[in-house]
Amino acid sequence: MPTAHAWGQEAVSSPTVMNNQTSAFSIEQQNDTLFTLTLTTDSTADKWQIPYPVYRFCTGDVDGDGSEDALVGVVKTTRYFQEEGHRIFIFKNYHGLIRPLWMGSKLGGILDDFRFIDGKIRSLERTTDGQYVVAEYRWAHFGMGFERFLVKNATKQTALDIFENSNYNKNDSL
């Protein structure tokens, strides 16, 4: 079952069982810009340093392989986008070791926040003209592929209402 956490001091995912082994991701803040992602199994604990501010941590099976992945929202620049912004890093449990699955520089618009709901990343994004969209993305072999907009050209409040409603379907009305 996916878990999501707005940032606090420490967050721990719900334990999952795969191949008779229990595992769970957790993240802990070391200082303002250093975080440690930990994968704990029945017999091991692996750590990955994240040297960026974290704004979101959640877990879920992103790539559909039956194993829980860690989704970490970081604030950083990238090679292609020199302005500091919200990015998404996705990490796998690879035989008890943390390995990057996707270190995303951009989804679609200007990312404000994200959640993992029903096997998809739901994003709250701003457009360059100040409007908001809520979009859903699904794993597409090497990165996130756009699936659909839940709303486009919305006010911030309308977009937030849809973004925060995990049961929202595009055919619903607010």
Side-chain angles (χ1 to χ4, degrees), residues 55 62 71-73 78 81 85-90 102-116 120-126 133-140 142-149 163:
Y55 69 92
V62 174
L71 296 88
V72 182
T78 72
F81 302 99
H86 288 188
R87 317 293 178 198
I88 302 174
F89 287 179
I90 304 172
W102 189 65
M103 310 290 263
S105 58
K106 196 166 176 89
L107 284 174
I110 302 163
L111 183 63
D112 272 8
D113 204 354
F114 71 92
R115 304 277 191 277
F116 190 74
K120 296 174 250 185
I121 290 177
R122 180 176 291 181
S123 66
L124 174 65
E125 303 172 33
R126 284 177 285 128
V133 303
V134 177
E136 290 184 332
Y137 298 84
R138 188 180 292 277
W139 183 251
F142 183 73
M144 302 311 299
F146 173 79
E147 187 157 289
R148 67 182 183 150
F149 287 112
F163 174 74

Side-chain angles (χ1 to χ4, degrees), residues 9 14 24 26-27 31 35 38 43 55 57 59 69 76 82 84 94 126 133 144-145 154-155 160 169:
Q9 288 291 84
S14 301
S26 62
I27 194 164
N31 61 45
F35 292 77
T38 303
S43 57
Y55 69 92
F57 169 71
T59 60
D69 305 308
K76 69 179 289 293
Q82 295 300 310
E84 197 169 74
Y94 181 76
R126 284 177 285 128
V133 303
M144 302 311 299
T155 65
L160 273 170
N169 184 313

Side-chain angles (χ1 to χ4, degrees), residues 7 11 22-23 33 46 62 83 93 98-99 101 110 124 126 130 138 163-164 166 170-173:
W7 190 244
T22 302
S23 65
T33 59
D46 192 36
V62 174
E83 191 170 312
N93 172 353
I98 299 171
R99 292 296 178 258
L101 178 63
I110 302 163
L124 174 65
R126 284 177 285 128
R138 188 180 292 277
F163 174 74
E164 292 175 350
S166 62
K170 189 173 183 174
N171 298 323
D172 293 347
S173 59

